[in-house]
Amino acid sequence: MGSHTATPVTTGTELNGQSDRRHSSRTPALFSLLYSGMNTGQMLIGDGIVTNLSLGGIGIRGNRSVTPGMDMALFVDLPGLDEPLCIAQSRVSWVAGRQFGVELGTLKLEEKNHLQIFLCNSVTPSDRHGGI
């Protein structure tokens, strides 16, 4: 798990001037995912890299362009799981080229638990003294 240890980041500098709208800390990450949704009446399927995540959203660098407001499903290769984590409801909240942010919809208990465990394990013990 040492390769996934990261310090939470709460700045919005990677958003190219957009304000950080997340209510919880971002945890830097680097693992793959697939995303799919409808864009101008066409089915869009793309793959990308999770760049950061929180319980409320995911930062993604993808290979297919998306638009703000687009609904999509995510299949996240969360470390420690045998199968991709399927998140059926999410919505694109911002786009900057091939980088975009996705706001997560209502998560099933199992999905939320997997994310919480990953986020908890990604914060080093010294970070936990700061407010968890």
Side-chain angles (χ1 to χ4, degrees):
M1 277 195 245
S3 64
H4 298 291
T5 302
T7 303
V9 178
T10 55
T11 63
T13 49
E14 73 177 88
L15 303 182
N16 298 329
Q18 296 215 7
S19 63
D20 186 357
R21 292 175 269 183
R22 291 195 185 175
H23 300 288
S24 55
S25 297
R26 296 168 186 251
T27 297
L30 194 59
F31 46 90
S32 62
L33 85 158
L34 293 173
Y35 53 95
S36 67
M38 296 297 288
N39 192 14
T40 62
Q42 298 289 322
M43 178 64 129
L44 175 134
I45 299 173
D47 64 327
I49 301 293
V50 173
T51 58
N52 62 67
L53 74 157
S54 69
L55 280 177
I58 299 177
I60 299 168
R61 185 173 50 245
N63 71 338
R64 299 287 307 272
S65 297
V66 298
T67 57
M70 184 176 155
D71 291 323
M72 61 175 43
L74 306 173
F75 305 90
V76 183
D77 290 325
L78 199 62
L81 297 181
D82 294 332
E83 299 287 327
L85 179 66
C86 177
I87 299 173
Q89 299 177 347
S90 67
R91 179 168 288 175
V92 177
S93 57
W94 62 267
V95 177
R98 296 293 171 114
Q99 289 199 211
F100 57 97
V102 173
E103 182 179 353
L104 301 179
T106 303
L107 298 174
K108 294 178 184 174
L109 181 59
E110 184 179 5
E111 297 164 349
K112 189 172 185 176
N113 286 342
H114 285 305
L115 282 176
Q116 284 179 321
I117 289 167
F118 174 80
L119 291 169
C120 183
N121 288 338
S122 295
V123 177
T124 61
S126 62
D127 295 327
R128 292 188 180 139
H129 300 295
I132 291 181

